[in-house]
Amino acid sequence: MRSVFSSLFLLLALLYLPSEGQAQQRPASAAPAPADQLKPRKLTRKERKELARRAELDAAGRQRQLTERDREMSEAFFVDGVKYVLLEDYNKALERLLKAYALNPTNAAISYKIAETNLLSGNLKDATNFAQAAVRLDPKNAYYYLLLAQAYASQKQYDQATKVYAQLIQDVPDSGYYLFNLADLYLAQGKLDDALATLERAEKQFGPLDEVSFKKQQIYLKQNNLDKALKEGEVLIAANPDEIRYVLAQAEMYAANNRLPDAVRVAEQALRTDPENPQARMILADVYRQQGNTTESEKQIKRAFESPGLDIDDKVRVLVDYIKQLPNPKIEQTALDLAAITVRVHPKEAKAYSVAGDIQTLTNRKEQARNTYLQAIRLDNSRYQIWQQVVLIDAELNQTDSLLRHSEKALELFPNQAPLWFYNGVGYILAKQPAKGVKALEYGRKLATDNPELLAQFDTQLGDAYHELKEYSKSDAAYEAALTFDANNAQALNNYSYFLSMRGEKLDRAKEMSGKLVKQFPDNDTYLDTYAWVLYKQKDYAGARQYLEKALLTSKDATVIEHYGDVLYQLGDKDKAYAEWQRAKQIGGASSLIDRKIKDRKLYE
């Protein structure tokens, strides 16, 4: 079976000089339009006047003989016009070409070039008119028909374009191969039956053709005629057993229509021709998955991923499908394995590391994910989302040095990204440099004015930072701003109430906020400790003891234990208070007063 490849292109001659005989050729008469296409309409006076003027010019052009000088000038204007077309200066091109046309209106090549220039510059109506003129003047030139069809198609006048192709095939000798273009035009309009009939005409003229069979198969699929589509596919495979694309297309068709045994049969046929074909293995992986054969499915997809022939973008698409299903213990290891294969097979592709990092993040392999993201950045540092993932993981791991280093590097590239300033500010707070933290947070806050949720996060951190700087009014204002957006902001509620209790200020407000948290999270030892300390400051020692003892059921924090010792001291149980202070010191992390408390067996505040 032979293959025919046809294409539609326009004539872009650098120089087209019609012969003298052509220059004097009289225009052919236009064929009358069928009666059912005529739409009588009364012409306006202006339209009648314009038609009369054009008729006069046309008659004058037919009657007079071109002088040698006129012919030379017309050719010169034409050559100059073509030059400007190539330079894409369409205004100058049209100016020259219209001068050539005025001197020689019966030259088809001039009308064609004017039509082409108008088409390129977007003047579709003029392009159509001059292309029609070119066809009338030279009805045997296929390129003129093609340009006219293109002008109609550009205006979405597909029926007119179709008629032009039909006329071209009928009137121009040896133009049957334009049947393929006509079929494509029908397909573009969704006229599947007409497209099919046109392809069958092409088969009758040229014999069996692979491309025709392939297009017919696609049409049958759109018509939901699966049997004919599959039959056409089997014919293609029988005629081209070594043409792997036909075999793969057939296997995919079987798989998509739940003909799974046939899909396996045809995919394995492809592998006999190309044992490592990744597309065939992907088809098999999908079929085995549908059949519930997980082991064989994973085996096939991993072999497909091992092939450099499977494009990195195809692999990323598959991995993204896995990402959408995570976290899921059933597919977690397969996703990790495929990500590792992708990185190994495509070691210079940043996107391979990026998607692998996403999978590692979702499977709670944070440090590994950060290293993978950093590898992606080494290959391509232009992806803001990857930088954001890196600093987020730094913050989650509480690795202050890394957080500061990575956020500073990211800000060099993306200085207008508010989240990076947020993480940078958090880094400085964690590094006990609250002044630098405030500077970063205040700058980033100005960039986040269109994101209320992010603003609330900035305000929460600013509350912490200003407290460290002992700028309590600013700290309180920042927390209040955060709670205005989200009254349930746990970090703001806890820290604000705790700092108020430490200062002994607004204790009723502190009790309201911390009590709200304890009600929502009755087993959270941090919130229980905060509420207990507010009660302590209000001299409700019994209440404080109750909540601290509940917190100590789960907490081993030295601060909580020290607080418990302070409460016991206030309740008169000094020996037990002393024992709790010793325990807090042994654990580490108690207040700076712990040594004096133990030495003097006395409460200091």
Side-chain angles (χ1 to χ4, degrees):
M1 185 180 289
R2 56 202 176 87
S3 295
V4 170
F5 299 89
S6 60
S7 61
L8 172 63
F9 60 95
L10 301 176
L11 179 62
L12 291 173
L14 291 177
L15 179 61
Y16 181 92
L17 298 179
S19 67
E20 186 171 347
Q22 289 174 312
Q24 298 173 10
Q25 177 182 332
R26 296 170 66 84
S29 300
D36 61 354
Q37 291 184 7
L38 296 176
K39 295 182 179 178
R41 180 177 65 83
K42 185 175 180 180
L43 298 176
T44 65
R45 182 178 179 183
K46 185 177 180 180
E47 288 172 330
R48 290 198 301 273
K49 186 176 179 181
E50 177 63 15
L51 285 174
R53 188 185 68 81
R54 291 188 181 183
E56 252 181 357
L57 288 173
D58 194 30
R62 291 197 301 269
Q63 289 170 7
R64 75 182 182 88
Q65 180 80 15
L66 277 181
T67 66
E68 182 64 22
R69 177 175 173 76
D70 286 345
R71 185 182 65 79
E72 291 176 353
M73 288 180 65
S74 177
E75 291 176 354
F77 282 129
F78 181 81
V79 171
D80 213 21
V82 170
K83 178 186 73 175
Y84 282 114
V85 171
L86 295 172
L87 293 173
E88 298 184 8
D89 189 340
Y90 301 127
N91 289 334
K92 288 184 179 179
L94 282 172
E95 178 190 347
R96 270 61 169 186
L97 291 169
L98 287 170
K99 287 180 178 179
Y101 176 81
L103 291 167
N104 189 1
T106 62
N107 188 306
I110 296 175
S111 291
Y112 169 82
K113 188 56 69 174
I114 294 172
E116 180 189 52
T117 306
N118 276 301
L119 185 63
L120 291 170
S121 60
N123 299 320
L124 302 180
K125 186 174 180 180
D126 288 341
T128 303
N129 292 336
F130 279 99
Q132 287 172 336
V135 170
R136 285 197 306 270
L137 292 167
D138 187 359
K140 299 300 181 184
N141 191 316
Y143 297 116
Y144 299 169
Y145 289 91
L146 297 177
L147 182 64
L148 179 57
Q150 186 177 354
Y152 279 129
S154 298
Q155 299 171 82
K156 302 189 185 307
Q157 297 178 15
Y158 299 118
D159 286 341
Q160 292 297 106
T162 299
K163 291 174 184 176
V164 172
Y165 272 112
Q167 185 182 349
L168 162 62
I169 294 164
Q170 175 183 309
D171 294 348
V172 179
D174 301 321
S175 59
Y177 46 88
Y178 290 115
L179 286 165
F180 302 108
N181 302 78
L182 180 58
D184 287 340
L185 190 57
Y186 280 131
L187 282 172
Q189 299 174 75
K191 295 182 177 180
L192 303 182
D193 290 336
D194 290 331
L196 198 57
T198 304
L199 289 172
E200 287 172 350
R201 281 180 61 191
E203 274 190 323
K204 288 179 181 177
Q205 183 169 345
F206 297 105
L209 300 170
D210 295 346
E211 294 301 315
V212 170
S213 292
F214 191 74
K215 286 186 177 181
K216 285 171 65 178
Q217 186 184 50
Q218 303 312 303
I219 292 172
Y220 289 137
L221 284 175
K222 290 179 180 179
Q223 292 178 326
N224 293 319
N225 194 335
L226 180 61
D227 289 337
K228 282 193 174 182
L230 290 170
K231 182 178 179 181
E232 203 71 43
E234 293 293 352
V235 170
L236 272 172
I237 293 172
N240 303 274
D242 296 329
E243 186 61 69
I244 198 99
R245 64 183 177 127
Y246 296 142
V247 182
L248 293 172
Q250 189 77 349
E252 286 177 348
M253 204 182 313
Y254 278 126
N257 289 278
N258 208 33
R259 300 272 291 272
L260 303 185
D262 286 321
V264 171
R265 170 179 60 81
V266 178
E268 288 177 345
Q269 179 180 341
L271 289 174
R272 285 194 291 273
T273 301
D274 180 4
E276 295 305 320
N277 187 280
Q279 285 79 18
R281 297 205 176 276
M282 289 295 291
I283 293 169
L284 285 173
D286 183 54
V287 170
Y288 288 131
R289 179 188 59 77
Q290 291 184 63
Q291 292 177 329
N293 189 343
T294 304
T295 302
E296 191 60 31
S297 178
E298 291 181 3
K299 174 183 174 183
Q300 292 297 333
I301 198 171
K302 287 178 182 179
R303 289 194 65 174
F305 267 56
E306 290 283 0
S307 171
L310 185 62
D311 188 78
I312 177 65
D313 291 329
D314 291 329
K315 292 176 182 175
V316 168
R317 277 191 288 272
V318 172
L319 291 173
V320 167
D321 285 337
Y322 276 93
I323 286 172
K324 292 175 181 177
Q325 300 174 63
L326 292 173
N328 180 346
K330 292 182 179 179
I331 65 167
E332 180 177 301
Q333 192 56 52
T334 301
L336 288 166
D337 290 345
L338 292 175
I341 294 171
T342 304
V343 166
R344 176 162 46 78
V345 177
H346 304 276
K348 296 184 178 180
E349 288 282 359
K351 65 185 74 173
Y353 293 94
S354 175
V355 73
D358 291 343
I359 289 173
Q360 290 161 353
T361 298
L362 290 169
T363 55
N364 204 31
R365 291 163 170 78
K366 296 293 178 66
E367 287 200 57
Q368 187 180 359
R370 183 183 58 185
N371 293 336
T372 304
Y373 286 134
L374 288 171
Q375 184 62 40
I377 286 172
R378 291 187 191 100
L379 293 168
D380 178 8
N381 67 359
S382 67
R383 293 273 308 279
Y384 162 69
Q385 293 83 356
I386 301 179
W387 282 104
Q388 187 177 29
Q389 286 291 92
V390 168
V391 296
L392 176 59
I393 293 174
D394 287 335
E396 288 178 349
L397 295 175
N398 204 28
Q399 295 185 357
T400 306
D401 291 343
S402 295
L403 177 58
L404 285 172
R405 183 173 65 256
H406 294 144
S407 61
E408 295 283 358
K409 287 182 178 179
L411 283 168
E412 291 176 7
L413 296 168
F414 308 100
N416 296 322
Q417 288 291 345
L420 292 178
W421 287 104
F422 175 80
Y423 288 118
N424 186 246
V426 169
Y428 279 117
I429 293 172
L430 292 173
K432 306 299 181 186
Q433 299 181 58
K436 288 185 176 180
V438 164
K439 185 177 180 181
L441 290 168
E442 289 287 12
Y443 185 86
R445 193 183 188 283
K446 295 175 184 177
L447 299 174
T449 53
D450 60 343
N451 188 336
E453 186 174 353
L454 183 56
L455 274 177
Q457 293 183 46
F458 272 105
D459 288 328
T460 302
Q461 293 299 328
L462 282 167
D464 291 353
Y466 279 124
H467 173 80
E468 292 297 319
L469 293 171
K470 298 184 176 6
E471 296 187 41
Y472 300 131
S473 61
K474 289 184 178 180
S475 174
D476 292 356
Y479 284 132
E480 292 289 357
L483 292 170
T484 298
F485 172 75
D486 180 7
N488 295 312
N489 183 325
Q491 182 179 344
L493 288 171
N494 182 74
N495 293 6
Y496 188 19
S497 57
Y498 184 70
F499 292 148
L500 287 175
S501 71
M502 295 288 289
R503 286 153 43 196
E505 299 176 3
K506 304 177 188 176
L507 292 177
D508 288 341
R509 173 73 168 137
K511 182 178 180 180
E512 174 196 347
M513 291 187 292
S514 58
K516 185 177 184 178
L517 272 181
V518 167
K519 187 174 181 180
Q520 291 179 13
F521 306 97
D523 298 320
N524 185 296
D525 50 51
T526 297
Y527 302 156
L528 289 166
D529 174 61
T530 297
Y531 188 59
W533 201 242
V534 172
L535 295 177
Y536 176 88
K537 287 291 184 173
Q538 291 183 320
K539 302 188 184 309
D540 181 2
Y541 303 126
R545 177 177 184 171
Q546 175 187 346
Y547 283 96
L548 283 170
E549 287 178 348
K550 188 173 182 181
L552 287 170
L553 293 175
T554 55
S555 176
K556 302 295 183 185
D557 185 90
T559 298
V560 179
I561 297 170
E562 184 180 2
H563 283 170
Y564 185 50
D566 294 352
V567 169
L568 291 172
Y569 188 92
Q570 294 284 14
L571 290 170
D573 195 345
K574 297 181 180 180
D575 290 338
K576 192 168 183 181
Y578 175 76
E580 293 300 320
W581 289 338
Q582 285 187 315
R583 188 158 71 98
K585 177 177 173 58
Q586 185 177 5
I587 291 174
S591 75
S592 58
L593 297 172
I594 193 69
D595 288 332
R596 288 182 65 191
K597 292 177 183 179
I598 294 171
K599 179 182 177 183
D600 298 339
R601 302 175 72 95
K602 181 180 177 181
L603 176 63
Y604 291 98
E605 294 182 312

